[in-house]
């Protein structure tokens, strides 16, 4: 299915609003006092889940474009990737603000002491340069090849995000969602490897 520029712009605007709805819902829950008995846990879980959702959606853009011949989907990827960073930032700020009240020393001790926080923190730090270099100007400054190489970090980030989620759930012995996320990320990465090694189009973008 081919879309003209106006149709793509409209679709992008719709996706922008839809991607913002989880945040709007979360804010409304704060004001309506619907966060449950443990508000911090609710916010942490919600923002973490949506970070992984948007990482998976961003990784799914290239396979969907190739499989269904939808070149216009590439124009959605950068925005969806920035939404992944947005929800990751909210996730991190919940940890820094409500768990540690901006006490950086205590936060750092927690990061070092607890492995699931360590890998989550690393994933967030790696997301920052991707967000900062998401503009057309930065693409020109870095050059296309270096920019693509940098943005391949999203594969590692998604994998670390799944590991973070898996270790977090290990104390509760509830692995169903982490395993599902892991299978999705693994499938999306394997599709890229398949196309790189055996596909007609050897150029695989992040």
């Amino acid at each position: 299915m081919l879309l003209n520029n106006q149709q793509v712009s409209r679709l992008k605007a719709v996706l922008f609003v839809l991607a913002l709805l989880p945040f709007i819902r979360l804010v409304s829950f704060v004001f309506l006092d619907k966060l449950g008995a443990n508000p911090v846990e609710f916010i942490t879980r919600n923002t973490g889940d949506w970070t992984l959702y948007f990482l998976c959606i961003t990784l799914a853009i290239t396979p969907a474009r190739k499989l269904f011949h939808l070149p216009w989907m590439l124009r959605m990827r950068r925005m969806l990737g920035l939404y992944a960073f947005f929800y990751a930032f909210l996730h991190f700020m919940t940890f820094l603000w409500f768990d540690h009240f901006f006490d950086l020393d205590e936060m750092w001790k927690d990061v070092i002491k607890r492995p699931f926080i360590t890998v989550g923190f690393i994933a967030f730090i790696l997301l920052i340069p991707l967000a900062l270099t998401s503009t057309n100007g930065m693409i020109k400054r870095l050059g296309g090849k270096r920019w693509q190489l940098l943005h391949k970090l999203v594969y590692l980030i998604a994998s670390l995000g799944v590991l973070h989620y898996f270790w977090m759930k290990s104390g509760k012995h509830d692995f169903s969602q982490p395993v599902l996320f892991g299978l999705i990320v693994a499938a999306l990465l394997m599709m890229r490897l398949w196309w790189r090694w055996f596909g007609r189009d050897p150029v695989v973008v992040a």
Side-chain angles (χ1 to χ4, degrees):
M1 180 176 65
L2 296 177
L3 300 179
N4 59 41
N5 288 335
Q6 188 176 25
Q7 289 172 320
V8 172
S9 296
R10 289 175 180 173
L11 180 57
K12 192 173 182 179
V14 171
L15 286 177
F16 179 89
V17 174
L18 290 175
L20 197 60
L21 289 180
F23 174 69
I24 295 172
R25 175 178 176 268
L26 187 60
V27 172
S28 70
F29 274 25
V30 172
F31 286 102
L32 295 173
D33 194 22
K34 295 178 65 176
L35 296 178
N38 192 335
V40 174
E41 182 181 356
F42 184 95
I43 296 172
T44 301
R45 185 176 67 250
N46 186 267
T47 53
D49 285 350
W50 279 104
T51 301
L52 281 174
Y53 292 150
F54 278 105
L55 281 173
C56 289
I57 292 169
T58 303
L59 285 174
I61 292 293
T62 292
R65 174 182 66 85
K66 287 177 175 286
L67 289 171
F68 303 110
H69 307 288
L70 303 172
W72 52 266
M73 291 190 72
L74 286 178
R75 294 178 57 180
M76 312 294 165
R77 187 177 57 194
R78 193 184 311 179
M79 180 186 70
L80 294 170
L82 285 172
Y83 263 112
F85 175 75
F86 172 68
Y87 285 104
F89 178 76
L90 293 178
H91 187 66
F92 172 73
M93 287 305 298
T94 302
F95 168 69
L96 178 60
W97 185 357
F98 297 113
D99 279 350
H100 297 288
F101 301 99
F102 295 101
D103 188 330
L104 296 180
D105 288 336
E106 287 300 315
M107 183 208 74
W108 186 244
K109 290 177 183 177
D110 213 9
V111 168
I112 295 174
K113 180 181 178 181
R114 304 164 76 182
F116 86 92
I117 294 180
T118 305
V119 296
F121 183 75
I122 292 171
F124 175 69
I125 293 299
L126 291 176
L127 265 176
I128 294 175
L130 270 61
L132 292 177
T133 58
S134 63
T135 63
N136 291 332
M138 287 304 300
I139 296 174
K140 291 179 180 178
R141 286 185 182 184
L142 291 173
K145 290 185 177 180
R146 283 188 294 177
W147 185 88
Q148 284 195 2
L149 182 62
L150 174 64
H151 280 251
K152 288 183 186 299
L153 281 174
V154 71
Y155 309 148
L156 175 60
I157 291 166
S159 301
L160 289 174
V162 171
L163 181 59
H164 167 71
Y165 196 23
F166 184 87
W167 276 347
M168 184 189 72
K169 286 286 190 176
S170 63
K172 300 179 180 179
H173 303 286
D174 179 11
F175 300 108
S176 56
Q177 284 187 302
V179 168
L180 178 60
F181 275 119
L183 290 174
I184 292 171
V185 170
L188 291 171
L189 297 186
M190 287 304 297
M191 290 173 75
R192 284 169 161 77
L193 290 175
W194 178 268
W195 277 316
R196 176 175 288 276
W197 292 336
F198 305 109
R200 294 180 180 177
D201 181 4
V203 179
V204 181
V205 292

